[in-house]
Amino acid sequence: MKKPSEDREAPAVEPTAGPADSAHGRPAQPKATPSASAPSAHDEGRGTRNRVARSILDHGPSTAAELALRLELTQAAVRRHLDALVAEGVVEPREKRVYGARGRGRPAKSFALTDCGRDAFDQAYDQLATDALRWIAQSAGGGAMGEAAVAAFARARFAAQAQGYRAAVEAAGPEGRTEALAEALTADGYAATARSAPNPQLGEQLCQHHCPVAHVAEQYPQLCEAETEVFSRLLGTHVQRLATIAHGDGVCTTFVPKAGAGKAAHPTGGRTTQTTTASARTAGRNPA
């Protein structure tokens, strides 16, 4: 049900006194103004737009209908806020990906955060991290040795980070490990979810709707590779990185095959692909 305050354009204002008041000898009443504690229409609109953007961050590219359902707003109100966010460069419209046979009519338009929109939520010191990794690479001699040094740092970092996830994952049953890992990642700011793959018999998808180090990973894909390796160890199976925010995708998506699935059909295509941990040079890219 829609909250009345969410779609209000302006706070109610008491009417001003008219000429009849003076005609009867009563002093004209001053024009009423909103209370200092009452939010302005601009503030309310901005607050709702922030909620819309945050919902896209947490759940990935979304249609106006999906946002309206999650935020308990009308679709008309959501579209108005989306138009404003698009104008500000915070979100951008995309054609919604459809799995399987496409129905009649045009597919619903989904909205994803732009790099600018993600920057509004990021609190990581991207430049500092990039400079530190560059220094590590140069100190190791650059070239292949430098890349190996950065990879070693990334593996050590994610291995330490994984210690906080291990207990939660191991406490879950085999069918609940991906969900447990998603919850642990969410607690660390990755806004992660677990859902069935397009073919549920093959496995699941671990989706991270936010990446605090996305801009750094654009230059150093070893970060994506190390993270994928950690997921593989935590879940006890080889996994396949299908997409990452660092390479322009709306969501970091990792395919987790079901036990005994063996060679699994590609979750987003029609080919058969052995699930595996992506290499440092291909981590984050959709398989060709």
Side-chain angles (χ1 to χ4, degrees):
M1 180 177 177
K2 178 176 173 254
K3 297 179 182 177
S5 63
E6 296 294 351
D7 196 24
R8 193 165 57 220
E9 294 297 337
V13 177
E14 292 293 329
T16 59
D21 296 314
S22 297
H24 288 84
R26 293 193 300 268
Q29 299 296 318
K31 183 181 294 185
T33 57
S35 159
S37 61
S40 68
H42 173 78
D43 291 338
E44 286 194 2
R46 172 57 60 185
T48 305
R49 283 198 290 278
N50 287 342
R51 291 179 59 216
V52 171
R54 180 75 207 193
S55 184
I56 295 174
L57 173 72
D58 290 342
H59 298 276
S62 306
T63 64
E66 291 167 342
L67 289 163
L69 183 62
R70 287 199 296 263
L71 300 175
E72 298 182 333
L73 298 172
T74 64
Q75 290 191 37
V78 168
R79 289 193 183 96
R80 187 174 67 253
H81 291 301
L82 285 170
D83 287 343
L85 290 169
V86 169
E88 294 171 0
V90 176
V91 304
E92 61 184 1
R94 296 182 178 180
E95 183 175 318
K96 185 175 177 62
R97 180 177 294 176
V98 177
Y99 296 106
R102 185 188 296 273
R104 291 185 177 183
R106 298 179 63 183
K109 185 183 297 183
S110 66
F111 294 83
L113 286 179
T114 62
D115 286 342
C116 176
R118 291 186 185 281
D119 287 343
F121 291 98
D122 285 340
Q123 296 181 0
Y125 294 94
D126 291 343
Q127 189 59 52
L128 177 62
T130 301
D131 290 345
L133 291 178
R134 184 180 299 111
W135 183 87
I136 290 173
Q138 292 173 349
S139 297
M145 291 186 295
E147 291 185 4
V150 171
F153 166 80
R155 283 194 295 270
R157 177 184 182 274
F158 282 107
Q161 186 174 336
Q163 293 304 312
Y165 306 154
R166 189 173 302 281
V169 173
E170 292 180 349
E175 298 298 321
R177 288 189 171 184
T178 305
E179 178 67 34
L181 178 55
E183 292 177 358
L185 287 167
T186 296
D188 259 1
Y190 288 88
T193 58
R195 65 188 184 193
S196 296
N199 186 340
Q201 295 180 342
L202 298 179
E204 301 173 280
Q205 289 182 346
L206 176 64
C207 301
Q208 297 157 264
H209 303 284
H210 182 52
C211 176
V213 295
H215 294 310
V216 183
E218 288 179 14
Q219 300 182 50
Y220 295 97
Q222 295 95 325
L223 295 173
C224 296
E225 164 63 7
E227 183 181 65
T228 307
E229 291 177 358
V230 165
F231 290 169
S232 179
R233 288 196 296 271
L234 287 172
L235 298 173
T237 184
H238 288 297
V239 300
Q240 183 182 15
R241 183 58 64 90
L242 302 179
T244 65
I245 295 169
H247 286 89
D249 298 293
V251 181
C252 293
T253 307
T254 304
F255 176 63
V256 183
K258 281 191 175 180
K263 288 188 176 182
H266 194 286
T268 58
R271 296 186 315 219
T272 298
T273 303
Q274 177 68 39
T275 54
T276 182
T277 301
S279 71
R281 295 188 181 277
T282 60
R285 294 180 173 84
N286 285 316

